[in-house]
Amino acid sequence: MANTHEVAFKLNGKDVQVSVVPRELLIHTLRDRLAHTGPHVGCETSHCGACTVDLDGMSVKSCTVLTVQCDGAELFTVEGLQQAGELHAIQQAFHEEHALQCGYCTPGMLIRAWRLLQETPEPTEQDIRYGLAGNLCRCTGYQNIVKAVQSAARKVADHKVAAQAPSA
Amino acid sequence: MGDMTELKAREDKLQGTGTSMLRKEDARFIRGQGSYVDDIQLPGMLFGALVRSPHAHARIKSIDKAAAKAVPGVVAVLTADDLKPVKLHWMPTLGGDVQAVLADGKVCFQYQEVAMVLATDRYAAADGAALVEVDYEELPAIVDPKKAMAPDAPVIREDIAEKKEVGHGPRTHPNHIFTWEAGDKAAADAAFATAAVTVREEILNPRVHPCPLEPCGCVASFDKGTGALTVYMTTQAPHLVRTVLAMLSGIPESKIRVVAGDIGGGFGNKVPVYPGYVVAIVASIVTGVPVKWIETRIENISTTGFARDYHGVGELAADADGRIKALRFTALADHGAFNSHVSATKFPAGLFSICTGSYAIPNAYARVDAVYTNKAPGGVAYRCSLRVTEAIYLIERMVDVLAQKLGLDKAEIRRRNFVQAEQFPYTTAFGWTLDSGNYHPALEKVLQACDYEGLRREQAARRADPNAPTLMGIGLATFTEILGAGPTSVCDILGIGLFDSCEIRVHPTGAAIARMGTMSQGQGHATTYAQIIATELGLPASDIVVEEGDTDKAPYGAGTWGSRSTPVSGAATAQAARKIRDKARKIAAHLLEVAEGDLEWEIDRFTVKGNPSQWKTMKEICMVAHTGNLPAGMEPGLNAVTYYDPPNMTYPFGAYLCVVDVDKFTGEVKMRRFYALDDCGTRINPMIIEGQIHGGLTEAFAVAMGQQMPFDEAGNHLGNTLLDYFLPTAMETPHWETDYTVTPSPHHPIGAKGVAESPHVGGIPCMSNAVIDAFAHLGVTHMDMPHSAWRVWQKCNELGINKRQTP
């Protein structure tokens, strides 16, 4: 299809440029063109959150965002959470609290939880459950995910890490 | 012997059985580096999209591919006619039936596979699929299984209408699949005839879907040069699938490689072979390039393995004290348009015959009649082993119904009927031998932890107050699971025995690799198996790599479903490790110049009895095994492979308690408390076990409180997206409390029983029992799942309790 658009955005701190047809979904650009296979497709209706990425400071479902809408945007995916080879506090907490099983929802959960902690640095259990309600998990029953976010919040408060955007 | 601190330090280093070792598999997932099937990109790969039927029952008059083929990027459109020359338009199913890969002249359920469009990318494939023009002549559809065997019912499967016999008896109607019976009907009938009390209920296990977050899919790659086929796919049973593919395609099994990378949840949904896989494989063989097929969520919910759809009738006969004398269970099973239910060949209705549960019931009879309807095929054992969920749901509901009729407390009726600790191994009226159990202490522990008596008093006070805005329900479930399928003598799939395997290779440095016939979908196998090996071999679990899912590497096994990994492959692992340890002992004896019998195993080494300063560590022995100084005639190396066919199933059990508050005016059910005590024998990784229980309870909550797959009269699916189909979020999922007792399996090498399905099997009846208990004082004996606010409100309305009382 000849009708392509040049789209430029920052992905995990790096400038990228892609040439896409208007209907291409962000999740496909990320996964198929840019080899960022962390975000996954689960439902195609914005419900499951496996494809969650951070777009200009907001958690969005990349299965229902058009890539052309992202021109000039700043995007973060799970691949950007790790800093200089060090796991982010939220990644560490998910591991320590056994907050994942099959791992399919995990990238979306992590990037959403990372944003949640910036929106609400000292979340209650209710804040966390409400804040993660757009991300489904079929394996864990959420209990350990809640614990992980609480633990990460404490770590962040101690080390002041999640307030910064991760760099590439 | 070293001092205790030193021994403890050595033991801790291993992170063996009993340790909550953090998962080895997490590292890639938390970095977004998992490798799921849709992550696979091969050069020149085409994308396949399926054209599916809008009708539940219709004849195909013609298919016009022209418009689809004109779409830029579309390479080919395949229909049944294209599959016929390679004889792949029909395939065998795991239920012993055949299923159309692409509809052959007629469609039998909505969304049935009709054609596949192959294109250079997924967008072009979708465009093409929308433009394939199929001319249908609609036929009357059967939606209600109760009408399937009416004399004038339309024949769904004309291809086998003339078939008179099935494996388990004569077919009595063209829409009849099988009738399967277990137990002793005459004995059960006789007990019913003389019983002091009998109860009967119609109990539905509605059609639900396991709905893992990752849909199904595959990448098929046929190499014309070598004639070898590689298929990357979402499968819980790679070896079984390879065998089926070989039978289907005629390609030698040794030239087929099935690779299951990371799997985004299975829950039974990823056991069967689906038409999409087969068409993608054919397409790769035909085009000579790799073909990817990934289903959408709509396709996943509406066409891949659903679960349940058992329309049951339960009956109990008891004496006046509530001691159960006999049980009769019958069920009408809606298997959809093709019998592709995953069942053991020897038991077409699976382990439905565990329906005596935890109780010593002397007489029992079960019967399942399965019928075809115009619904999707592929019934799977959703987070249970082959229909044990249906069985336990029935008995746990019926025990409550009996208690209610007798005015007996629901804990007391369970105490009176439990198999006693001293009766194990206990053979049930259906012939299964429960290996071990200790039911009374488990129940008492739960009752005490939750202050059952206090809850009962609170409930009595609530019931006495007609102005209370909420009803209070207390649910109990005391269940026994049947896991570890299974002894090949009683359990197989397509005739293949359900053994499993482990191959361990220990390297000179003491690091080891273990390859298994099972396949993890998130259960933490890489950690659990490594911990078993760590304990058996005295090598640190962190140095042991576990690989599964690649049929070129792993020994043959039946895969991961029915919680069989720990009971079967876990046993194979322990036995393979013990073979290696036996050889290591010989080497140690040789090196220390003592007889084997003079050595004892101590955590990570062999020490000389009576001379504890003399030892050889396992790590030292690993090096020696590869460098020389071996006993005369001994082969170098430390490898072993074990194929383990268990002598019996394992029978984990549990006692669950649930407290709910039901809003009389809105019908909303609030789960105030859920306490789950599980006994799965030896606990390998308590952290992983607890995680599995949380997940199983959450799936139980979804089934009990909100899931169903509704159809209209024409067979249209009325809810196949996550907009319609209930998957609980963090908001509505309750908080789970867990507890345990330990009753090891006497026949498993390390006493482990398997656990991940128990919370689903026990959780569903416990939640249902709680909701129904809230209405028990109003004369309600049963309400079908799901207990959604709408349905519960309907019950409140019917009972007239949603009216404000005027003072």
Side-chain angles (χ1 to χ4, degrees):
Chain A
M1 223 177 281
N3 181 20
T4 58
H5 292 251
E6 298 301 311
V7 181
F9 50 83
K10 242 188 193 14
L11 178 59
N12 297 324
K14 278 188 187 152
D15 289 317
V16 296
Q17 193 163 357
V18 288
S19 180
V20 297
V21 295
R23 65 176 175 171
E24 183 161 314
L25 295 167
L26 179 58
I27 185 71
H28 293 141
T29 303
L30 291 172
R31 290 178 49 81
D32 298 347
R33 288 182 197 278
L34 300 170
H36 279 51
T37 53
H40 300 130
V41 181
C43 68
E44 299 114 350
T45 49
S46 290
H47 278 75
C48 79
C51 67
T52 304
V53 300
D54 199 83
L55 174 64
D56 287 335
M58 282 196 306
S59 300
V60 301
K61 311 288 175 71
S62 63
C63 74
T64 41
V65 170
L66 297 169
T67 304
V68 290
Q69 291 174 285
C70 302
D71 196 38
E74 188 159 16
L75 277 160
F76 289 105
T77 66
V78 68
E79 284 92 343
L81 282 183
Q82 199 169 323
Q83 300 180 61
E86 292 277 304
L87 288 178
H88 191 277
I90 190 85
Q91 289 172 303
Q92 232 170 342
F94 266 58
H95 176 52
E96 288 163 4
E97 301 294 341
H98 185 33
L100 62 146
Q101 290 180 23
C102 79
Y104 201 75
C105 74
T106 307
M109 281 283 180
L110 287 168
I111 201 77
R112 170 62 199 140
W114 169 71
R115 177 54 61 195
L116 172 69
L117 288 184
Q118 288 161 85
E119 294 162 347
T120 318
E122 289 174 35
T124 61
E125 174 171 350
Q126 192 67 8
D127 291 336
I128 297 169
R129 287 189 178 265
Y130 185 80
L132 295 178
N135 292 66
L136 296 176
C137 172
R138 290 292 281 155
C139 298
T140 66
Y142 305 104
Q143 201 149 315
N144 290 346
I145 292 176
V146 172
K147 271 163 75 180
V149 177
Q150 284 169 328
S151 155
R154 283 192 299 271
K155 285 183 189 189
V156 168
D158 292 347
H159 301 99
K160 306 255 173 272
V161 284
Q164 310 147 20
S167 56
Chain B
M1 193 189 283
D3 65 55
M4 293 312 286
T5 332
E6 191 249 30
L7 289 176
K8 178 82 172 47
R10 271 161 51 199
E11 200 152 35
D12 287 351
K13 194 176 159 215
L14 299 180
Q15 293 201 281
T17 294
T19 317
S20 283
M21 180 192 188
L22 295 183
R23 294 204 323 167
K24 292 155 73 78
E25 43 274 88
D26 287 354
R28 61 184 184 277
F29 297 135
I30 55 176
R31 290 176 172 84
Q33 290 169 345
S35 180
Y36 302 90
V37 68
D38 197 22
D39 299 340
I40 306 275
Q41 302 277 6
L42 299 179
M45 189 176 77
L46 296 175
F47 196 92
L50 285 164
V51 176
R52 295 179 177 276
S53 167
H55 306 294
H57 200 191
R59 229 170 277 291
I60 296 174
K61 291 159 77 179
S62 64
I63 301 176
D64 186 350
K65 307 174 179 178
K69 279 183 163 172
V71 173
V74 169
V75 174
V77 180
L78 299 177
T79 63
D81 286 342
D82 302 297
L83 269 49
K84 277 176 191 168
V86 282
K87 297 192 171 63
L88 283 172
H89 54 311
W90 286 80
M91 64 177 191
T93 71
L94 294 183
D97 195 355
V98 289
Q99 177 174 355
V101 173
L102 289 175
D104 186 14
K106 133 171 167 167
V107 289
C108 299
F109 65 95
Q110 194 187 37
Y111 296 104
Q112 186 177 342
E113 301 78 5
V114 174
M116 183 182 269
V117 175
L118 298 169
T120 48
D121 73 85
R122 60 180 89 226
Y123 287 75
D127 284 347
L131 291 171
V132 173
E133 288 170 26
V134 186
D135 190 7
Y136 295 99
E137 177 197 336
E138 274 192 80
L139 299 169
I142 298 175
V143 179
D144 181 353
K146 289 173 181 159
K147 295 178 185 165
M149 297 217 288
D152 58 343
V155 176
I156 296 170
R157 292 288 305 283
E158 284 151 354
D159 60 299
I160 56 160
E162 300 306 315
K163 203 175 164 192
K164 299 274 185 263
E165 288 281 322
V166 285
H168 294 263
R171 291 178 78 215
T172 57
H173 186 282
N175 293 332
H176 175 222
I177 304 175
F178 63 74
T179 295
W180 170 83
E181 294 173 290
D184 186 337
K185 186 170 189 301
D189 289 349
F192 267 87
T194 56
V197 189
T198 63
V199 283
R200 180 185 187 279
E201 286 293 336
E202 286 184 25
I203 291 174
L204 173 67
N205 270 278
R207 180 175 275 232
V208 295
H209 195 273
C211 215
L213 264 198
E214 179 202 35
C216 298
C218 76
V219 178
S221 179
F222 182 71
D223 183 327
K224 281 196 165 158
T226 61
L229 172 70
T230 304
V231 191
Y232 303 87
M233 67 193 294
T234 48
T235 177
Q236 299 177 226
H239 297 275
L240 288 179
V241 167
R242 182 184 56 179
T243 302
V244 172
L245 294 181
M247 285 157 64
L248 267 170
S249 65
I251 298 172
E253 200 168 352
S254 48
K255 282 198 171 186
I256 301 176
R257 180 181 174 207
V258 172
V259 185
D262 288 321
I263 304 284
F267 318 119
N269 186 236
K270 289 168 182 166
V271 176
V273 176
Y274 296 120
Y277 299 143
V278 178
V279 192
I281 289 165
V282 176
S284 179
I285 293 171
V286 171
T287 60
V289 293
V291 173
K292 179 187 274 190
W293 165 72
I294 304 290
E295 66 183 11
T296 63
R297 178 56 55 191
I298 289 175
E299 291 179 292
N300 178 253
I301 295 182
S302 55
T303 68
T304 64
F306 70 94
R308 321 279 149 79
D309 224 341
Y310 263 45
H311 302 245
V313 176
E315 292 175 283
L316 290 179
D319 67 17
D321 293 332
R323 288 189 174 78
I324 303 168
K325 298 297 172 197
L327 157 158
R328 282 192 302 230
F329 277 161
T330 57
L332 177 65
D334 182 343
H335 280 208
F338 303 93
N339 182 30
S340 50
H341 271 231
V342 179
S343 282
T345 314
K346 296 180 174 91
F347 299 95
L351 302 173
F352 189 71
S353 52
I354 185 68
C355 46
T356 44
S358 305
Y359 312 109
I361 301 177
N363 305 291
Y365 170 72
R367 170 187 167 127
V368 178
D369 294 287
V371 296
Y372 291 118
T373 61
N374 291 112
K375 291 182 197 156
V380 294
Y382 169 25
R383 210 160 183 148
C384 76
S385 6
L386 312 171
R387 274 144 284 288
V388 66
T389 308
E390 290 90 326
I392 296 299
Y393 186 74
L394 278 158
I395 184 68
E396 284 306 300
R397 275 273 54 247
M398 288 311 298
V399 166
D400 266 22
V401 172
L402 179 63
Q404 204 174 337
K405 174 137 185 183
L406 289 164
L408 251 181
D409 181 85
K410 53 171 77 185
E412 182 53 28
I413 196 163
R414 286 173 165 82
R415 286 187 196 109
R416 287 184 194 178
N417 286 290
F418 276 154
V419 176
Q420 308 287 316
E422 60 276 12
Q423 288 178 284
F424 290 96
Y426 176 84
T427 302
T428 72
F430 290 114
W432 300 103
T433 301
L434 312 184
D435 60 347
S436 65
N438 199 7
Y439 302 146
H440 288 88
L443 175 61
E444 299 310 327
K445 198 175 179 192
V446 170
L447 298 179
Q448 206 164 6
C450 299
D451 183 19
Y452 181 68
E453 293 307 322
L455 288 169
R456 275 288 177 227
R457 283 193 296 275
E458 183 189 345
Q459 186 184 44
R462 185 90 59 93
R463 285 177 175 174
D465 174 9
N467 289 317
T470 58
L471 303 170
M472 178 178 165
I474 304 167
L476 272 187
T478 49
F479 62 91
T480 295
E481 253 270 51
I482 177 166
L483 295 185
T488 293
S489 55
V490 294
C491 239
D492 64 54
I493 283 187
L494 291 180
I496 298 165
L498 299 180
F499 57 86
D500 225 294
S501 60
C502 173
E503 180 192 20
I504 303 174
R505 295 182 197 170
V506 184
H507 307 312
T509 55
I513 186 160
R515 288 174 168 146
M516 328 289 305
T518 50
M519 176 61 214
S520 175
Q521 308 109 44
Q523 294 94 335
H525 288 182
T527 308
T528 301
Y529 292 137
Q531 290 184 271
I532 295 174
I533 296 170
T535 295
E536 296 294 334
L537 287 185
L539 299 169
S542 54
D543 293 347
I544 297 161
V545 166
V546 172
E547 287 189 353
E548 303 174 284
D550 184 337
T551 55
D552 266 11
K553 293 180 180 173
Y556 204 102
T560 294
W561 44 268
S563 275
R564 61 188 300 286
S565 297
T566 299
V568 190
S569 249
T573 307
Q575 292 206 333
R578 285 172 192 180
K579 282 186 192 172
I580 290 171
R581 198 170 74 191
D582 287 347
K583 185 173 179 182
R585 177 187 286 270
K586 287 187 169 59
I587 298 172
H590 172 71
L591 296 174
L592 293 162
E593 297 181 337
V594 296
E596 277 184 63
D598 292 334
L599 293 175
E600 59 190 352
W601 175 253
E602 186 196 71
I603 301 170
D604 59 355
R605 66 194 58 180
F606 290 100
T607 60
V608 177
K609 280 181 194 166
N611 190 358
S613 63
Q614 288 271 66
W615 72 69
K616 284 289 166 193
T617 66
M618 194 64 195
K619 217 168 165 173
E620 292 172 283
I621 296 166
C622 293
M623 188 57 81
V624 172
H626 292 83
T627 56
N629 198 13
L630 294 170
M634 182 184 272
E635 263 183 40
L638 275 180
N639 298 344
V641 57
T642 294
Y643 293 86
Y644 181 82
D645 189 6
N648 188 8
M649 306 269 189
T650 61
Y651 296 85
F653 59 93
Y656 291 178
L657 187 144
C658 173
V659 186
V660 297
D661 293 300
V662 178
D663 189 310
K664 283 152 75 170
F665 305 106
T666 65
E668 278 171 295
V669 177
K670 189 168 177 289
M671 205 167 285
R672 193 202 306 177
R673 190 163 191 194
F674 197 100
Y675 194 94
L677 180 146
D678 276 281
D679 190 321
C680 59
T682 304
R683 290 156 61 84
I684 299 162
N685 185 318
M687 175 196 80
I688 288 179
I689 290 172
E690 191 169 275
Q692 293 291 309
I693 291 167
H694 290 174
L697 289 173
T698 305
E699 292 195 346
F701 173 73
V703 170
M705 308 308 290
Q707 289 184 340
Q708 62 176 337
M709 296 180 64
F711 293 82
D712 71 11
E713 281 297 299
N716 293 305
H717 202 299
L718 300 179
N720 53 14
T721 70
L722 297 190
L723 276 161
D724 314 284
Y725 190 67
F726 175 59
L727 300 188
T729 75
M731 279 299 284
E732 55 266 356
T733 301
H735 178 81
W736 310 116
E737 296 172 76
T738 56
D739 197 352
Y740 64 95
T741 55
V742 177
T743 311
S745 166
H747 60 81
H748 187 282
I750 66 167
K753 287 184 169 185
V755 74
E757 300 174 341
S758 292
H760 194 76
V761 167
I764 299 170
C766 187
M767 294 170 196
S768 246
N769 281 350
V771 174
I772 297 162
D773 183 59
F775 293 90
H777 61 300
L778 303 169
V780 174
T781 53
H782 179 69
M783 290 152 69
D784 276 329
M785 298 182 281
H787 306 294
S788 61
W790 159 239
R791 293 168 64 130
V792 174
W793 178 86
Q794 281 179 306
K795 179 57 77 178
C796 294
N797 198 39
E798 183 188 310
L799 295 168
I801 56 169
N802 60 346
K803 314 281 186 289
R804 298 271 169 200
Q805 302 290 315
T806 43

